Amino acid sequence: MGILLRIIGMASHYPMRLGLAYASALAAIGFSLALPWLFGNAIDLMVGRDPVTGKFIVQDFSLAALVSFGVGILGVSLGRGFCDFARTYTTESLSQKVSFDCRNLLYDKLQNVSFAFHDKEHTGDLMSRATADVEAMRRFVNMGMIRSLDVVVRILAIPFILFFLNWELALISMIFVPAIVLRSTFVMRALRRKWLHVQQVMGESVTVLQENLAGMHVVKAFASEDFERRKYNRKAEELRVEYFDAERMQGTNSAWMTLYFTFALGVVLWYGGWQVVDGNLTPGDLAKFFLYLNQLTFPIRASAQIINTFSRAMSSGQRLFNVLDTVSPVSERANARDMGRPEGHVRFDKVGFSYQDRSPALLEVNLDARPGQVTAILGAPGSGKTTVVNLLPRFYDVTDGKITIDGADIRDFTLQSLRHNVGIVHQDVYLFSASIRDNIGYGVKDATHEDIERAAKVAQLHDQIMALPHGYDTWVGERGTTLSGGQRQRLSIARTILIDPPVLILDDSTSSVDVETERQIHRAMVEVMKGRTTFVIAHRLSTVREADQILVLDKGTIVERGTHEELIRSDGIYQSIYELQLRPQEEVLLEAAVPAMADGRAAL
């Protein structure tokens, strides 16, 4: 019930629409309840019993009285139609407002939670919550909140009117109400559990679809189309069965309610006819009774849908509010201040970090990186290289120790100002479906074309962009599929350069470019790195050899540190990495240089 109250609370943010929706619904119910009374009185006006023969005859009545009844019925019908339109308009408007708020709250939450949340959540399931679950909540506002008022008012008002007309017929018509209420209670509980499972399976199926589309190149490269098809078919079949069971449960409940009511109508017709024949009930009152009883069919039949709406809203609301109530371990302090533009002196002071439910990823890491210095980080996979640089922009928060920039704890600053001063070029480059200009200028609101072009030139990408048919207006496909791997990485470098951060992180940023392109990028990046604190996670010889300090990590601990020459002489882990990975690259660089020298002599 608390979940439904939270949804109602969201709808109460729009009191005007909510008030108009309830007012128009109540007015429509009032007009609707007035119609049977007018019809019954009109019948009694025209039809009566002959006191001599006891037969029903057409009575004498004035034309004015008949016209007044006709005008009254017409006016009430028009009033009901207008109020129904107003209720539909305001209810739909209100439900769309609530769904709009839900989507924005969910989207904002997903933007602000830390990487730790996304590490354990599936993208497809989050997409399902933003679509199917929000839609279920919208239907609750539309039907559950507003239409349920119609159901409740009619169920309370109509039996009262029926008892007022004829208590014996009213008792007969109410025989099956306890059975209906009891069955509805059990069905509502069962449907809540069923719809919660349906929504979970739907999220899993969307996850399978999303992963398949994102990894289509891998699927086709390994000819795994049949395997993926079977995997999705299994999940789709599970969703079909669960969805069918939920709808069958709802349909069965609706059918039973209709059967109860139809049987009650038959009994009322039989007993009410005898009452009219015996003179205990007028034809008009019997007509009123049947018309009111007929109006009771709507709340009885609609109650099955209302129950289904309540059940889906509770299950969907539970899934949605679980995300909205998530407390991010990375959050701004109440007195967080803007960082401004720091010098970029970075220090790690006994930093430790553990991912959730895992062994420590870093243990007492100490490092000192001054402005203008290049720090290279090496180590085996899983040694903690990426974790170190992810802690600097607070994608995760340290669990021990602290990180400072210019002597101030990074947790004292706003996240936006901190991340604006820490530029990152990721190994896995992500580009948006937009133009090259928009991708380079992403994150910089007032970037001019000259700024974007200057950044592209530094990244050695300008000439290739100008060779494209539309230059900087060339559209980049989803995830940058229309560009080569080297072009995507250079575009990512240009995007980071444009921010002009004092602290720069290069996460293996030249891993997908050839030797000559790497040489060009590094030649251009020499100027960019001046005055900046640069961290590089790389396995390319040029970057490692040029670093001011090299950190070698093993199992979350810095086991070696120093310059290239110092570590080569130490006969440790770095020397092994150099012999196995870096020395072969040196030979490739020499081989690449020989043809270039030969071409130079030929030109002379």
Side-chain angles (χ1 to χ4, degrees), residues 134-289:
V134 172
E135 175 62 16
M137 293 174 64
R138 187 198 68 81
R139 286 178 59 85
F140 167 75
V141 174
N142 193 333
M143 177 169 286
M145 279 184 60
I146 310 302
R147 298 299 292 272
S148 62
L149 175 68
D150 196 332
V151 171
V152 171
V153 171
R154 289 179 188 271
I155 287 179
L156 293 177
I158 292 178
F160 177 80
I161 296 174
L162 295 180
F163 273 98
F164 177 78
L165 290 172
N166 189 293
W167 67 270
E168 294 175 330
L169 288 178
L171 284 177
I172 293 174
S173 63
M174 297 293 113
I175 290 176
F176 300 102
V177 169
I180 292 175
V181 173
L182 186 63
R183 180 178 178 82
S184 298
T185 302
F186 284 117
V187 169
M188 185 172 182
R189 292 178 179 176
L191 277 175
R192 180 185 179 181
R193 294 191 298 269
K194 179 65 68 174
W195 281 119
L196 179 60
H197 186 58
V198 167
Q199 296 301 104
Q200 291 172 344
V201 175
M202 183 177 294
E204 293 170 0
S205 67
V206 175
T207 297
V208 173
L209 177 61
Q210 182 267 333
E211 290 179 347
N212 177 268
L213 295 177
M216 185 57 66
H217 292 291
V218 178
V219 173
K220 291 189 176 297
F222 287 86
S224 299
E225 291 88 349
D226 290 339
F227 171 77
E228 291 294 327
R229 188 180 298 111
R230 289 193 299 271
K231 182 169 69 173
Y232 185 75
N233 283 345
R234 286 194 298 270
K235 193 57 63 176
E237 175 65 15
E238 183 181 359
L239 179 61
R240 182 193 68 81
V241 171
E242 295 296 333
Y243 209 105
F244 175 78
D245 286 345
E247 293 291 348
R248 178 181 55 80
M249 191 179 299
Q250 177 192 353
T252 302
N253 186 46
S254 179
W256 274 106
M257 289 186 176
T258 302
L259 178 62
Y260 292 152
F261 185 77
T262 303
F263 191 81
L265 273 179
V267 175
V268 168
L269 178 62
W270 170 76
Y271 189 76
W274 278 108
Q275 290 279 67
V276 172
V277 171
D278 290 343
N280 297 324
L281 194 67
T282 67
D285 286 342
L286 182 60
K288 292 178 186 177
F289 196 96

Side-chain angles (χ1 to χ4, degrees), residues 153-444:
V153 171
R154 289 179 188 271
I155 287 179
L156 293 177
I158 292 178
F160 177 80
I161 296 174
L162 295 180
F163 273 98
F164 177 78
L165 290 172
N166 189 293
W167 67 270
E168 294 175 330
L169 288 178
L171 284 177
I172 293 174
S173 63
M174 297 293 113
I175 290 176
F176 300 102
V177 169
I180 292 175
V181 173
L182 186 63
R183 180 178 178 82
S184 298
T185 302
F186 284 117
V187 169
M188 185 172 182
R189 292 178 179 176
L191 277 175
R192 180 185 179 181
R193 294 191 298 269
K194 179 65 68 174
W195 281 119
L196 179 60
H197 186 58
V198 167
Q199 296 301 104
Q200 291 172 344
V201 175
M202 183 177 294
E204 293 170 0
S205 67
V206 175
T207 297
V208 173
L209 177 61
Q210 182 267 333
E211 290 179 347
N212 177 268
L213 295 177
M216 185 57 66
H217 292 291
V218 178
V219 173
K220 291 189 176 297
F222 287 86
S224 299
E225 291 88 349
D226 290 339
F227 171 77
E228 291 294 327
R229 188 180 298 111
R230 289 193 299 271
K231 182 169 69 173
Y232 185 75
N233 283 345
R234 286 194 298 270
K235 193 57 63 176
E237 175 65 15
E238 183 181 359
L239 179 61
R240 182 193 68 81
V241 171
E242 295 296 333
Y243 209 105
F244 175 78
D245 286 345
E247 293 291 348
R248 178 181 55 80
M249 191 179 299
Q250 177 192 353
T252 302
N253 186 46
S254 179
W256 274 106
M257 289 186 176
T258 302
L259 178 62
Y260 292 152
F261 185 77
T262 303
F263 191 81
L265 273 179
V267 175
V268 168
L269 178 62
W270 170 76
Y271 189 76
W274 278 108
Q275 290 279 67
V276 172
V277 171
D278 290 343
N280 297 324
L281 194 67
T282 67
D285 286 342
L286 182 60
K288 292 178 186 177
F289 196 96
F290 265 92
L291 289 173
Y292 281 120
L293 198 59
N294 185 62
Q295 285 194 17
L296 199 58
T297 60
F298 166 75
I300 291 177
R301 292 175 179 174
S303 59
Q305 295 181 344
I306 298 295
I307 291 171
N308 184 58
T309 302
F310 272 66
S311 302
R312 293 194 66 173
M314 284 189 287
S315 59
S316 295
Q318 178 179 336
R319 283 165 46 84
L320 193 66
F321 292 134
N322 282 344
V323 177
L324 296 180
D325 294 340
T326 298
V327 178
S328 177
V330 178
S331 58
E332 292 184 356
R333 292 176 175 175
N335 58 346
R337 65 183 189 274
D338 189 275
M339 176 178 280
R341 183 175 178 84
E343 292 294 326
H345 185 184
V346 177
R347 293 191 63 182
F348 280 57
D349 185 10
K350 296 182 180 180
V351 168
F353 176 75
S354 298
Y355 292 99
Q356 189 175 15
D357 301 328
R358 300 184 194 175
S359 58
L362 295 178
L363 293 170
E364 292 202 8
V365 172
N366 293 285
L367 68 86
D368 191 329
R370 297 180 179 278
Q373 284 189 339
V374 177
T375 301
I377 306 175
L378 282 78
S383 60
K385 303 184 302 296
T386 303
T387 302
V388 169
V389 295
N390 279 340
L391 293 176
L392 189 52
R394 292 190 67 195
F395 293 151
Y396 303 90
D397 260 346
V398 299
T399 51
D400 293 300
K402 65 178 180 178
I403 302 173
T404 63
I405 295 181
D406 294 350
D409 194 322
I410 61 173
R411 290 170 291 191
D412 292 335
F413 303 109
T414 62
L415 289 172
Q416 184 176 6
S417 65
L418 170 65
R419 292 170 183 173
H420 187 77
N421 284 286
V422 180
I424 306 175
V425 179
H426 291 285
Q427 180 180 9
D428 184 16
V429 179
Y430 188 92
L431 301 179
F432 297 93
S433 297
S435 67
I436 291 177
R437 184 197 317 278
D438 292 337
N439 269 285
I440 295 178
Y442 184 78
V444 181

